[in-house]
Amino acid sequence: MLKDKQVVLGVTGGIAAYKAVELLRLLTKAGANVHVIMTRAAQEFVTPLTFQTLSANPVHTELFNLIAEREIGHIALADRADLGVIAPATANVIGKIAAGIADDMLTTTIMATKAPVVIAPAMNVNMYTNPIYRDNEDKLRRHGYLFVPPVRGALACGWEGDGKLAAPEAVFEAAVAALSRHDYNGQTIMVTAGPTREELDPVRFISNHSSGKMGYALARAAQYRGARVILVSGPVNLTPPSGVELVAVESAGEMHAAVMGRAGECTAIIKAAAVADYRPAERSGAKIKKKGAELSLQLVKTPDILAELGRLAKAPFLVGFAAETGKLSEFATRKLHEKNVDMIVANDVSQSDAGFNVDTNRVRLFFRDGREVDCALMTKDDLANVILDHVASALRLLQNS
Ligand code: PMT
């Protein structure tokens, strides 16, 4: 989403200015070309050289710089920008923009740009709750400026409360969301992700290699595209995208209850989770002790959540996954019809660069009308957008029919 985008990153004077360095790293890693503008106060906290080195672009500190003015002019950055981000943003700079004051390079660029602008405030808690500040933020929100609210914590001024700059990752996510299509506005999308754990006793369980990466990529992309996202997740080591509603579960039984309980709220449900098909018939209350040379376990079927969703009288649009190690078309088509779903995303999990616990995937999509679409190897983030493109066009067709 940020690849080759021109991003203007405004850094204003506050102790959190050092966190803008990490934000710059995230933006450049995602492929953005970042142009940093620092206010005079910001330069008291971090040197322009740090930003210049990491962005590989000159850092702008003066409104009228003789060389820059000759080469690009003081409005050129505003025209060139695809996105503006101010992090940290002081009450002072927010107040100036709200009042229409453009008296330095940053405020001039932000006032002159037609690109979306993301503002991440950081300030003393009493400044943040001051009605004058609140009016300024409300006014900018009304005019379409996007805000990443500060978080609670110990502030540099000695106070405790709201005012700490949001994590660089949260500001980064807001930046990506600002540049995304918002074709999922007003839709509720449920995504299931990760493995389930079926306990044998207090110390052991049956599970699988799902890392949750595919499901979390889908949740993130849907959130960026404007959806309200319910993420039902088995145990994984991933941070949920900010703003999604996380429902953490352990077992297939818990996932079943969570999904069926919220299905009625959803326009579409995407089931990327690797749900255990069987669980131990009984869970021992105490650790099972080692005895003979063999141990037999009796397993019983777990509820097939996707199939149950397919039987609902008014089912949301249903996307199932199929993890196969061969006969991809045959098994995927069977799942499509037997589970009565609208679309199956089939991955051959015997390949080392696809399926479980890798950042990439290679899938074939199967649709109810018999269409099949091959998707070449790509990142799970890119694939999530491809899947959402297909869901969005199917939903549009359904809504127009
Ligand atoms: O999490 P990652 O490491 O990123 O890996 C991604 C993935 C390989 C887990 C993902 O791409 C994937 O293929 N997920 C589905 C895995 C799976 O359980 O496939 P299945 O063929 O066994 O199940 C078919 C469908 O039925 C799936 O949508 C599954 O969520 C659903 N199901 C299965 C069993 C069950 N009891 N209830 C279900 O709803």
Side-chain angles (χ1 to χ4, degrees):
M1 196 59 63
L2 284 169
K3 184 140 181 41
D4 299 327
K5 296 288 187 218
Q6 306 294 326
V7 177
V8 170
L9 172 59
V11 184
T12 71
I15 188 70
Y18 76 93
K19 288 194 193 164
V21 176
E22 174 60 9
L23 175 60
L24 168 61
R25 203 188 58 76
L26 293 171
L27 292 166
T28 50
K29 194 169 158 224
N33 189 11
V34 186
H35 308 272
V36 178
I37 303 178
M38 298 180 78
T39 60
R40 193 159 302 156
Q43 296 165 60
E44 301 288 333
F45 293 91
V46 186
T47 66
L49 189 60
T50 309
F51 289 106
Q52 182 152 313
T53 309
L54 290 172
S55 69
N57 279 318
V59 169
H60 304 266
T61 53
E62 312 274 337
L63 182 54
F64 297 109
N65 172 298
L66 285 181
I67 297 169
E69 195 63 26
R70 192 192 66 217
E71 287 172 0
I72 57 167
H74 68 278
I75 291 298
L77 268 186
D79 293 341
R80 207 197 279 173
D82 296 301
L83 175 72
V85 180
I86 312 178
T90 55
N92 179 54
V93 83
I94 291 167
K96 276 196 207 170
I97 301 168
I101 297 170
D103 65 350
D104 61 11
M105 184 65 180
L106 178 59
T107 47
T108 302
T109 305
I110 294 299
M111 296 285 303
T113 189
K114 288 191 176 300
V117 176
V118 172
I119 299 177
M123 63 194 73
N124 164 271
V125 59
N126 295 331
M127 288 170 94
Y128 186 63
T129 51
N130 184 311
I132 298 171
Y133 171 79
R134 304 281 2 130
D135 284 350
N136 289 338
E137 182 176 322
D138 289 348
K139 181 175 178 187
L140 290 180
R141 280 180 186 273
R142 279 200 307 281
H143 288 292
Y145 290 81
L146 303 158
F147 277 78
V148 185
V151 293
R152 232 186 142 66
L155 305 173
C157 51
W159 284 78
E160 171 97 22
D162 291 334
K164 237 173 126 71
L165 180 68
E169 291 76 11
V171 184
F172 173 80
E173 284 184 0
V176 182
L179 285 176
S180 301
R181 273 164 293 160
H182 286 98
D183 51 352
Y184 276 85
N185 274 351
Q187 313 283 353
T188 299
I189 305 295
M190 183 191 288
V191 177
T192 70
T196 62
R197 284 181 182 174
E198 313 303 323
E199 289 199 350
L200 285 163
D201 68 12
V203 297
R204 304 181 181 96
F205 53 79
I206 298 174
S207 190
N208 58 64
H209 291 295
S210 171
S211 62
K213 288 180 177 181
M214 189 66 246
Y216 276 56
L218 282 157
R220 199 165 34 242
Q223 154 94 355
Y224 289 156
R225 290 169 71 157
R228 168 181 167 238
V229 178
I230 303 170
L231 174 61
V232 180
S233 175
V236 296
N237 285 321
L238 299 174
T239 310
S242 48
V244 309
E245 251 178 82
L246 177 72
V247 184
V249 297
E250 291 270 331
S251 64
E254 286 176 21
M255 187 170 278
H256 172 255
V259 172
M260 299 314 295
R262 308 284 301 268
E265 298 170 38
C266 305
T267 326
I269 300 183
I270 309 179
K271 291 219 70 246
V275 188
D277 290 319
Y278 291 89
R279 65 170 174 81
E282 272 176 40
R283 178 191 181 277
S284 167
K287 184 181 171 194
I288 299 169
K289 296 311 254 182
K290 187 161 55 177
K291 277 193 211 123
E294 288 178 7
L295 173 73
S296 296
L297 291 174
Q298 199 189 351
L299 303 179
V300 293
K301 259 196 164 159
T302 56
D304 189 326
I305 310 165
L306 189 56
E308 196 169 319
L309 288 168
R311 287 193 292 273
L312 288 178
K314 265 189 84 182
F317 188 87
L318 293 179
V319 181
F321 270 69
E324 308 297 349
T325 50
K327 297 191 180 167
L328 198 70
S329 289
E330 183 185 329
F331 291 142
T333 317
R334 193 181 299 167
K335 278 178 188 157
L336 182 81
H337 296 295
E338 283 181 359
K339 299 194 186 211
N340 192 29
V341 299
D342 298 287
M343 177 175 161
I344 285 280
V345 181
N347 36 200
D348 180 348
V349 294
S350 64
Q351 301 176 12
S352 60
D353 52 5
F356 291 104
N357 202 13
V358 283
D359 292 326
T360 51
N361 212 348
R362 183 190 292 105
V363 304
R364 190 180 299 166
L365 309 177
F366 294 82
F367 298 88
R368 275 262 260 278
D369 57 10
R371 266 180 314 127
E372 291 183 19
V373 176
D374 259 320
C375 301
L377 186 73
M378 62 182 92
T379 65
K380 285 182 175 169
D381 283 319
D382 287 343
L383 177 60
N385 275 305
V386 171
I387 294 170
L388 289 174
D389 288 346
H390 283 281
V391 174
S393 58
L395 287 174
R396 262 194 304 277
L397 284 179
L398 284 176
Q399 277 154 9
N400 294 337
S401 65

